[in-house]
């Protein structure tokens, strides 16, 4: 089956599926996050340790608009990384390394959503598309990059600092998306 899929899907298409999968996933989150948090805020507070008070306060400030702003910033960054990776694909180097770093974040994000759902023992925003879209896409992308000899375990290791950098940038984007949003009265 993978051989057939590999023949049907051009390698650059595999790359361009990245921002598409990201947006499908984040559309699910954008649509439900504010309402879901409002309905589950008390339950979340009972399962999170007291030490996470700052996280709980941040959750109180999440709005649909603020979250959508953060997603837009991240989408622009991921689209630029994808464009650069496709343009420099056969010359190797930084484009592929950046792409794999971003792919690692998407892969790890799948497990974050699964962990959140296990923690609350139910649906959490983004878990459906994490399982149906992100996880299959990232596994296929890794497989394809390995099959095309563009990726090996050494390159995965070299991409880890880039992955950490993206995690930091995404955290900044989420914080920037919250700037100027309303605080819910308690």
């Amino acid at each position: 089956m993978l051989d057939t899929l590999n023949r049907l899907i051009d390698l650059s298409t595999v790359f361009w599926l990245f921002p598409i999968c990201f947006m499908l996933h984040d559309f699910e989150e954008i649509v439900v996050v504010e309402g879901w948090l409002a309905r589950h805020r008390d339950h979340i507070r009972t399962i999170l340790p007291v030490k996470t008070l700052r996280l709980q306060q941040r959750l109180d400030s999440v709005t649909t608009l603020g979250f959508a702003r953060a997603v837009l910033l991240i989408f622009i960054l991921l689209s630029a990384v994808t464009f650069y990776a496709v343009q420099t694909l056969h010359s190797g180097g930084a484009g592929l390394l950046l792409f794999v770093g971003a792919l690692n974040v998407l892969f790890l994000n799948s497990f974050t959503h699964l962990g959140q759902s296990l923690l609350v023992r139910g649906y959490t925003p983004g878990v459906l598309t994490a399982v149906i879209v992100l996880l299959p896409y990232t596994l296929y992308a890794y497989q394809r990059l390995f099959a095309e000899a563009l990726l090996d375990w050494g390159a995965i290791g070299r991409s880890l600092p880039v992955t950490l950098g993206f995690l930091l940038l995404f955290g900044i984007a989420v914080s920037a998306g919250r700037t100027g949003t309303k605080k819910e009265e308690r």
Side-chain angles (χ1 to χ4, degrees):
M1 183 173 120
L2 280 177
D3 289 335
T4 303
L5 197 55
N6 290 348
R7 282 193 307 275
L8 292 174
I9 300 177
D10 180 73
L11 186 59
S12 64
T13 302
V14 173
F15 280 77
W16 282 113
L17 284 171
F18 182 89
I20 293 168
C21 290
F22 169 80
M23 282 312 304
L24 287 172
H25 169 66
D26 276 270
F27 282 147
E28 177 191 0
E29 290 181 299
I30 288 169
V31 168
V32 300
V33 70
E34 187 174 0
W36 186 90
L37 284 171
R39 286 188 309 279
H40 294 88
R41 184 168 282 118
D42 292 336
H43 177 63
I44 292 170
R45 286 191 172 128
T46 64
I47 59 176
L48 290 178
V50 174
K51 292 180 181 179
T52 63
L53 184 59
R54 286 186 66 166
L55 172 64
Q56 292 177 31
Q57 290 169 340
R58 287 181 186 158
L59 290 175
D60 287 345
S61 68
V62 172
T63 65
T64 300
L65 178 60
F67 190 76
R69 285 180 191 156
V71 169
L72 175 62
L73 293 172
I74 295 168
F75 176 74
I76 291 167
L77 176 63
L78 293 178
S79 295
V81 165
T82 301
F83 178 79
Y84 181 58
V86 169
Q87 294 303 308
T88 62
L89 183 61
H90 297 292
S91 63
L96 184 60
L97 186 66
L98 286 171
F99 182 82
V100 172
L103 186 65
N104 293 342
V105 172
L106 208 62
F107 177 71
L108 294 172
N109 187 259
S110 301
F111 294 100
T112 300
H113 286 285
L114 289 169
Q116 290 168 348
S117 286
L118 290 173
L119 186 65
V120 302
R121 295 186 175 139
Y123 172 82
T124 56
V127 72
L128 293 178
T129 51
V131 171
I132 295 169
V133 176
L134 294 189
L135 197 53
Y137 167 73
T138 56
L139 290 172
Y140 176 69
Y142 284 127
Q143 179 278 327
R144 184 67 182 269
L145 292 171
F146 272 99
E148 301 281 341
L150 292 170
L151 189 60
D152 58 27
W153 290 107
I156 295 277
R158 288 188 301 279
S159 73
L160 294 181
V162 176
T163 302
L164 293 174
F166 277 127
L167 288 171
L168 178 64
L169 285 173
F170 296 165
I172 292 168
V174 170
S175 293
R178 273 199 309 269
T179 303
T181 58
K182 65 177 175 136
K183 291 266 186 187
E184 185 175 311
E185 291 189 31
R186 292 176 215 160

